[in-house]
Amino acid sequence: MRGLLTLLTNETNLKGYRSGIFLASSAPELVKRVLPLIQEEMPDITFTYLASMAYAHLFSPAAETVWLEEVKAEPVRTLLGLRQRKFDVVILLLTGTPTFRKLKLASLVLKPNRFIILTENADVLIVDRRRWNALRRLVVRRTKMYYPGSLLFFPFGLLYLLGRTLWLVSRARKRRPLIRSC
């Protein structure tokens, strides 16, 4: 199975994988810290890196790198080209910050055999059915990072602001003098 269906699989051995893509969706310091760990843990996997051009100094010049700016210029063509390569592994950095959202969403298009999530503490989470509880804990911990009241405020606050704006606009129109032409 490929893509999100890998959530239903149960696999512990990463030795059979040969190709992977690393999505540098975090701060450069974390990417720099995580790269040697990935290469040490998975020496048999040849990685392609998807990152911003600002991160060029972090990768070897010989490494295959797809720049985020290229993806933004032609998103459909680039992502379909990456998808056709059928990567075995997608490694995604999820640090709990709202950065690189498009890059994180691009990982869902790639349809790999296995998703691996790295957190800000360089904790590894292989996404499969054996680790659903760990994935659930990660999601719960991330949603608690945001103030819960803001989630409730959003729909009601938006309605309030919309109503207030409409009231102010109608009030301004009532006060506007009518210009009569003779």
Side-chain angles (χ1 to χ4, degrees):
M1 287 189 208
R2 299 184 75 79
L4 289 177
L5 292 177
T6 60
L7 280 168
L8 305 174
T9 62
N10 182 8
E11 188 173 339
T12 57
N13 189 6
L14 296 176
K15 300 286 185 203
Y17 296 138
R18 298 288 171 236
S19 65
I21 185 164
F22 176 79
L23 285 82
S25 57
S26 181
E29 299 83 32
L30 182 61
V31 173
K32 187 176 183 178
R33 192 175 85 205
V34 165
L35 279 175
L37 296 173
I38 291 171
Q39 292 165 349
E40 181 182 312
E41 290 292 322
M42 300 175 216
D44 299 333
I45 298 177
T46 304
F47 281 103
T48 300
Y49 302 99
L50 180 55
S52 173
M53 282 187 176
Y55 292 20
H57 65 283
L58 299 175
F59 306 111
S60 166
E64 181 182 2
T65 309
V66 178
W67 302 114
L68 182 60
E69 290 77 7
E70 294 173 10
V71 175
K72 286 182 179 179
E74 296 183 23
V76 175
R77 189 176 70 80
T78 308
L79 290 174
L80 286 177
L82 289 173
R83 182 182 174 133
Q84 289 173 351
R85 293 181 54 187
K86 296 185 179 179
F87 292 106
D88 293 326
V89 177
V90 168
I91 297 182
L92 181 62
L93 288 173
L94 294 180
T95 59
T97 57
T99 56
F100 295 102
R101 288 181 182 157
K102 291 179 183 176
L103 187 59
K104 292 172 185 174
L105 288 174
S107 68
L108 298 175
V109 176
L110 299 177
K111 275 185 82 172
N113 283 335
R114 183 69 48 217
F115 283 99
I116 298 176
I117 296 173
L118 292 174
T119 64
E120 61 274 4
N121 301 327
D123 296 331
V124 177
L125 175 64
I126 299 172
V127 179
D128 64 0
R129 75 171 181 222
R130 293 180 78 206
R131 296 168 184 91
W132 278 352
N133 283 334
L135 186 61
R136 182 187 54 79
R137 282 193 302 270
L138 177 70
V139 169
V140 167
R141 187 173 55 229
R142 292 297 161 83
T143 55
K144 285 184 180 178
M145 288 172 59
Y146 302 106
Y147 181 68
S150 65
L151 297 175
L152 291 175
F153 174 75
F154 179 73
F156 301 115
L158 185 63
L159 285 174
Y160 169 76
L161 291 174
L162 183 63
R164 178 81 174 163
T165 303
L166 290 173
W167 179 74
L168 288 172
V169 167
S170 68
R171 191 169 162 209
R173 285 191 177 171
K174 287 179 184 176
R175 289 185 176 187
R176 188 180 313 154
L178 295 174
I179 301 174
R180 296 185 182 178
S181 59
C182 297

